[in-house]
Amino acid sequence: MDTSPTSSVDGGCGCRRVRYRMSGRPLFVHCCHCRWCQRETGTAFALNAMIEADRVQLLSGEVEVIDTPSESGKGQRIARCPTCRIAVWSNYAGAGEAVRFVRVGTLDEPDRFPPEVHIFTASKQPWVVLPPATPAVAEYYKASELWPAESLARRAALQAKAASR
Ligand SMILES: [Zn+2]
Ligand SMILES: [Zn+2]
């Protein structure tokens, strides 16, 4: 993974109307094996780079936000290209609008952001073999146990900002 805090990477949808820039390192990268993500992507898992919303900048086009059910029951809001309907990021109820879950596969350089944790492995498709060096949990985990200190500090800053509103 690229650890440079100043690096940015661009991404976008399939028809290229929506283009965006993600600035800096994600807070953490989730590979989610829940059944909801499997259904929604039509594949075996979803790969999401969590990052502060203000570090994701639309370069062109606009997104259409669609309320979608999620594993937690609280739903997620998925931002899609209005033309090709590809999902570029989503917001979950837990972290709210302040944190975007960028779909790693829509980045121009997706190889830079491998999973840092595998979640909901209880419903993992059995043919998916996880690398032993990456943490994996049956359901969810505590950020304080796995996130690097820099990401925890950034999360604390977000929470302080939310509390002061
Ligand atoms: Zn598109
Ligand atoms: Zn999921």
Side-chain angles (χ1 to χ4, degrees):
M1 161 167 306
D2 186 331
T3 54
S4 162
T6 54
S7 67
S8 71
V9 57
D10 293 354
C13 66
C15 76
R16 296 188 69 84
R17 285 208 176 177
V18 172
R19 294 290 297 163
Y20 68 86
R21 176 162 297 154
M22 186 175 85
S23 300
R25 220 179 64 80
L27 294 163
F28 215 57
V29 179
H30 280 180
C31 185
C32 184
H33 300 262
C34 83
R35 294 293 187 201
W36 296 86
C37 285
Q38 291 179 16
R39 243 188 320 271
E40 185 209 302
T41 58
T43 69
F45 49 77
L47 192 55
N48 291 313
M50 304 172 67
I51 191 160
E52 295 93 329
D54 62 6
R55 292 188 188 221
V56 183
Q57 175 198 357
L58 260 180
L59 301 175
S60 67
E62 49 195 88
V63 293
E64 181 180 14
V65 176
I66 299 176
D67 286 308
T68 309
S70 71
E71 167 82 23
S72 73
K74 293 178 193 155
Q76 61 170 321
R77 294 165 60 75
I78 301 183
R80 293 179 180 275
C81 167
T83 305
C84 71
R85 305 279 174 180
I86 284 178
V88 285
W89 61 74
S90 58
N91 294 87
Y92 287 87
E97 297 293 319
V99 176
R100 285 184 181 158
F101 287 63
V102 172
R103 301 296 175 99
V104 171
T106 68
L107 291 166
D108 295 344
E109 300 170 65
D111 301 357
R112 282 172 57 179
F113 305 104
E116 294 178 286
V117 63
H118 292 270
I119 60 174
F120 291 101
T121 61
S123 51
K124 178 179 76 63
Q125 292 183 18
W127 59 268
V128 176
V129 180
L130 301 181
T134 307
V137 291
E139 289 190 359
Y140 211 70
Y141 68 97
K142 283 200 178 82
S144 57
E145 290 165 2
L146 290 182
W147 287 23
E150 188 232 348
S151 296
L152 288 170
R154 280 162 59 187
R155 186 179 72 148
L158 275 180
Q159 288 166 341
K161 204 157 84 176
S164 70
R165 270 198 206 109

